[in-house]
PDB file of all heavy atoms in Angstrom:
ATOM      1  N   ARG A 298     -93.698  47.015 -63.351  1.00  0.00           N
ATOM      2  CA  ARG A 298     -93.793  48.324 -62.684  1.00  0.00           C
ATOM      3  C   ARG A 298     -92.559  49.146 -63.015  1.00  0.00           C
ATOM      4  O   ARG A 298     -92.665  50.335 -63.325  1.00  0.00           O
ATOM      5  CB  ARG A 298     -93.949  48.163 -61.211  1.00  0.00           C
ATOM      6  CG  ARG A 298     -95.352  48.048 -60.762  1.00  0.00           C
ATOM      7  CD  ARG A 298     -95.595  48.492 -59.304  1.00  0.00           C
ATOM      8  NE  ARG A 298     -94.697  47.794 -58.412  1.00  0.00           N
ATOM      9  CZ  ARG A 298     -94.943  46.573 -57.849  1.00  0.00           C
ATOM     10  NH1 ARG A 298     -96.111  45.898 -58.135  1.00  0.00           N
ATOM     11  NH2 ARG A 298     -94.077  45.973 -57.102  1.00  0.00           N
ATOM     12  N   GLN A 299     -91.369  48.561 -62.998  1.00  0.00           N
ATOM     13  CA  GLN A 299     -90.174  49.314 -63.271  1.00  0.00           C
ATOM     14  C   GLN A 299     -90.139  49.814 -64.746  1.00  0.00           C
ATOM     15  O   GLN A 299     -89.610  50.895 -64.990  1.00  0.00           O
ATOM     16  CB  GLN A 299     -88.898  48.388 -63.003  1.00  0.00           C
ATOM     17  CG  GLN A 299     -88.676  48.102 -61.568  1.00  0.00           C
ATOM     18  CD  GLN A 299     -88.101  49.256 -60.851  1.00  0.00           C
ATOM     19  OE1 GLN A 299     -87.534  50.137 -61.390  1.00  0.00           O
ATOM     20  NE2 GLN A 299     -88.334  49.315 -59.545  1.00  0.00           N
ATOM     21  N   ILE A 300     -90.709  48.994 -65.629  1.00  0.00           N
ATOM     22  CA  ILE A 300     -90.676  49.440 -67.042  1.00  0.00           C
ATOM     23  C   ILE A 300     -91.639  50.682 -67.184  1.00  0.00           C
ATOM     24  O   ILE A 300     -91.347  51.680 -67.739  1.00  0.00           O
ATOM     25  CB  ILE A 300     -91.114  48.316 -67.950  1.00  0.00           C
ATOM     26  CG1 ILE A 300     -89.972  47.313 -68.043  1.00  0.00           C
ATOM     27  CG2 ILE A 300     -91.405  48.846 -69.371  1.00  0.00           C
ATOM     28  CD1 ILE A 300     -90.185  46.100 -68.992  1.00  0.00           C
ATOM     29  N   GLU A 301     -92.780  50.582 -66.478  1.00  0.00           N
ATOM     30  CA  GLU A 301     -93.754  51.665 -66.523  1.00  0.00           C
ATOM     31  C   GLU A 301     -93.085  52.997 -65.983  1.00  0.00           C
ATOM     32  O   GLU A 301     -93.379  54.068 -66.422  1.00  0.00           O
ATOM     33  CB  GLU A 301     -94.972  51.353 -65.716  1.00  0.00           C
ATOM     34  CG  GLU A 301     -95.972  50.469 -66.378  1.00  0.00           C
ATOM     35  CD  GLU A 301     -96.293  50.836 -67.813  1.00  0.00           C
ATOM     36  OE1 GLU A 301     -96.541  52.046 -67.994  1.00  0.00           O
ATOM     37  OE2 GLU A 301     -96.289  49.942 -68.713  1.00  0.00           O
ATOM     38  N   ALA A 302     -92.144  52.799 -65.072  1.00  0.00           N
ATOM     39  CA  ALA A 302     -91.473  53.982 -64.482  1.00  0.00           C
ATOM     40  C   ALA A 302     -90.429  54.550 -65.530  1.00  0.00           C
ATOM     41  O   ALA A 302     -89.660  55.464 -65.192  1.00  0.00           O
ATOM     42  CB  ALA A 302     -90.747  53.624 -63.208  1.00  0.00           C
ATOM     43  N   GLY A 303     -90.291  53.927 -66.653  1.00  0.00           N
ATOM     44  CA  GLY A 303     -89.510  54.514 -67.738  1.00  0.00           C
ATOM     45  C   GLY A 303     -88.113  53.885 -67.976  1.00  0.00           C
ATOM     46  O   GLY A 303     -87.280  54.405 -68.697  1.00  0.00           O
ATOM     47  N   HIS A 304     -87.912  52.732 -67.382  1.00  0.00           N
ATOM     48  CA  HIS A 304     -86.597  52.050 -67.633  1.00  0.00           C
ATOM     49  C   HIS A 304     -86.631  51.035 -68.771  1.00  0.00           C
ATOM     50  O   HIS A 304     -87.726  50.523 -69.074  1.00  0.00           O
ATOM     51  CB  HIS A 304     -86.189  51.295 -66.302  1.00  0.00           C
ATOM     52  CG  HIS A 304     -86.006  52.271 -65.120  1.00  0.00           C
ATOM     53  ND1 HIS A 304     -85.036  53.238 -65.098  1.00  0.00           N
ATOM     54  CD2 HIS A 304     -86.727  52.330 -63.975  1.00  0.00           C
ATOM     55  CE1 HIS A 304     -85.212  53.865 -63.934  1.00  0.00           C
ATOM     56  NE2 HIS A 304     -86.152  53.342 -63.278  1.00  0.00           N
ATOM     57  N   SER A 305     -85.486  50.772 -69.257  1.00  0.00           N
ATOM     58  CA  SER A 305     -85.417  49.752 -70.355  1.00  0.00           C
ATOM     59  C   SER A 305     -85.539  48.317 -69.807  1.00  0.00           C
ATOM     60  O   SER A 305     -85.233  48.150 -68.638  1.00  0.00           O
ATOM     61  CB  SER A 305     -84.099  49.863 -71.107  1.00  0.00           C
ATOM     62  OG  SER A 305     -83.096  49.379 -70.264  1.00  0.00           O
ATOM     63  N   ALA A 306     -86.047  47.360 -70.608  1.00  0.00           N
ATOM     64  CA  ALA A 306     -86.252  46.052 -70.109  1.00  0.00           C
ATOM     65  C   ALA A 306     -84.956  45.428 -69.580  1.00  0.00           C
ATOM     66  O   ALA A 306     -84.986  44.844 -68.503  1.00  0.00           O
ATOM     67  CB  ALA A 306     -86.850  45.217 -71.216  1.00  0.00           C
ATOM     68  N   PRO A 307     -83.822  45.489 -70.341  1.00  0.00           N
ATOM     69  CA  PRO A 307     -82.616  44.875 -69.781  1.00  0.00           C
ATOM     70  C   PRO A 307     -82.220  45.507 -68.417  1.00  0.00           C
ATOM     71  O   PRO A 307     -81.801  44.763 -67.495  1.00  0.00           O
ATOM     72  CB  PRO A 307     -81.535  45.158 -70.812  1.00  0.00           C
ATOM     73  CG  PRO A 307     -82.275  45.424 -72.082  1.00  0.00           C
ATOM     74  CD  PRO A 307     -83.544  46.048 -71.636  1.00  0.00           C
ATOM     75  N   TYR A 308     -82.359  46.781 -68.307  1.00  0.00           N
ATOM     76  CA  TYR A 308     -82.018  47.442 -67.044  1.00  0.00           C
ATOM     77  C   TYR A 308     -82.894  46.947 -65.886  1.00  0.00           C
ATOM     78  O   TYR A 308     -82.398  46.679 -64.773  1.00  0.00           O
ATOM     79  CB  TYR A 308     -82.044  49.005 -67.193  1.00  0.00           C
ATOM     80  CG  TYR A 308     -81.827  49.727 -65.849  1.00  0.00           C
ATOM     81  CD1 TYR A 308     -80.556  49.873 -65.448  1.00  0.00           C
ATOM     82  CD2 TYR A 308     -82.828  50.174 -65.081  1.00  0.00           C
ATOM     83  CE1 TYR A 308     -80.275  50.507 -64.256  1.00  0.00           C
ATOM     84  CE2 TYR A 308     -82.615  50.826 -63.900  1.00  0.00           C
ATOM     85  CZ  TYR A 308     -81.290  50.944 -63.428  1.00  0.00           C
ATOM     86  OH  TYR A 308     -81.046  51.568 -62.285  1.00  0.00           O
ATOM     87  N   VAL A 309     -84.137  46.749 -66.237  1.00  0.00           N
ATOM     88  CA  VAL A 309     -85.133  46.355 -65.258  1.00  0.00           C
ATOM     89  C   VAL A 309     -84.792  44.951 -64.741  1.00  0.00           C
ATOM     90  O   VAL A 309     -84.799  44.613 -63.568  1.00  0.00           O
ATOM     91  CB  VAL A 309     -86.558  46.425 -65.817  1.00  0.00           C
ATOM     92  CG1 VAL A 309     -87.519  45.611 -65.037  1.00  0.00           C
ATOM     93  CG2 VAL A 309     -86.907  47.923 -65.912  1.00  0.00           C
ATOM     94  N   VAL A 310     -84.440  44.090 -65.689  1.00  0.00           N
ATOM     95  CA  VAL A 310     -84.066  42.651 -65.285  1.00  0.00           C
ATOM     96  C   VAL A 310     -82.876  42.754 -64.362  1.00  0.00           C
ATOM     97  O   VAL A 310     -82.812  42.084 -63.313  1.00  0.00           O
ATOM     98  CB  VAL A 310     -83.799  41.865 -66.598  1.00  0.00           C
ATOM     99  CG1 VAL A 310     -83.118  40.492 -66.177  1.00  0.00           C
ATOM    100  CG2 VAL A 310     -85.027  41.596 -67.319  1.00  0.00           C
ATOM    101  N   LYS A 311     -81.870  43.539 -64.778  1.00  0.00           N
ATOM    102  CA  LYS A 311     -80.696  43.697 -64.022  1.00  0.00           C
ATOM    103  C   LYS A 311     -81.016  44.157 -62.575  1.00  0.00           C
ATOM    104  O   LYS A 311     -80.576  43.613 -61.522  1.00  0.00           O
ATOM    105  CB  LYS A 311     -79.702  44.621 -64.674  1.00  0.00           C
ATOM    106  CG  LYS A 311     -78.511  45.115 -63.746  1.00  0.00           C
ATOM    107  CD  LYS A 311     -77.741  46.204 -64.482  1.00  0.00           C
ATOM    108  CE  LYS A 311     -77.176  47.116 -63.508  1.00  0.00           C
ATOM    109  NZ  LYS A 311     -76.256  48.115 -64.083  1.00  0.00           N
ATOM    110  N   LYS A 312     -81.839  45.196 -62.502  1.00  0.00           N
ATOM    111  CA  LYS A 312     -82.138  45.825 -61.216  1.00  0.00           C
ATOM    112  C   LYS A 312     -82.958  44.879 -60.300  1.00  0.00           C
ATOM    113  O   LYS A 312     -82.551  44.537 -59.180  1.00  0.00           O
ATOM    114  CB  LYS A 312     -82.951  47.096 -61.499  1.00  0.00           C
ATOM    115  CG  LYS A 312     -83.254  47.904 -60.255  1.00  0.00           C
ATOM    116  CD  LYS A 312     -83.742  49.305 -60.655  1.00  0.00           C
ATOM    117  CE  LYS A 312     -83.994  50.219 -59.464  1.00  0.00           C
ATOM    118  NZ  LYS A 312     -85.034  49.802 -58.606  1.00  0.00           N
ATOM    119  N   VAL A 313     -84.073  44.290 -60.893  1.00  0.00           N
ATOM    120  CA  VAL A 313     -84.937  43.447 -60.015  1.00  0.00           C
ATOM    121  C   VAL A 313     -84.244  42.203 -59.614  1.00  0.00           C
ATOM    122  O   VAL A 313     -84.249  41.876 -58.418  1.00  0.00           O
ATOM    123  CB  VAL A 313     -86.219  43.175 -60.801  1.00  0.00           C
ATOM    124  CG1 VAL A 313     -87.054  42.076 -60.066  1.00  0.00           C
ATOM    125  CG2 VAL A 313     -87.024  44.444 -61.044  1.00  0.00           C
ATOM    126  N   PHE A 314     -83.601  41.537 -60.591  1.00  0.00           N
ATOM    127  CA  PHE A 314     -82.896  40.270 -60.181  1.00  0.00           C
ATOM    128  C   PHE A 314     -81.724  40.596 -59.262  1.00  0.00           C
ATOM    129  O   PHE A 314     -81.424  39.809 -58.353  1.00  0.00           O
ATOM    130  CB  PHE A 314     -82.516  39.453 -61.414  1.00  0.00           C
ATOM    131  CG  PHE A 314     -83.654  38.619 -61.931  1.00  0.00           C
ATOM    132  CD1 PHE A 314     -84.533  39.159 -62.841  1.00  0.00           C
ATOM    133  CD2 PHE A 314     -83.883  37.358 -61.554  1.00  0.00           C
ATOM    134  CE1 PHE A 314     -85.573  38.451 -63.333  1.00  0.00           C
ATOM    135  CE2 PHE A 314     -84.920  36.600 -61.981  1.00  0.00           C
ATOM    136  CZ  PHE A 314     -85.798  37.158 -62.882  1.00  0.00           C
TER     137      PHE A 314
END
Side-chain angles (χ1 to χ4, degrees):
R298 269 204 307 277
Q299 290 285 335
I300 289 182
E301 283 311 316
H304 300 295
S305 71
Y308 177 77
V309 162
V310 170
K311 165 186 152 174
K312 185 166 184 295
V313 171
F314 278 86

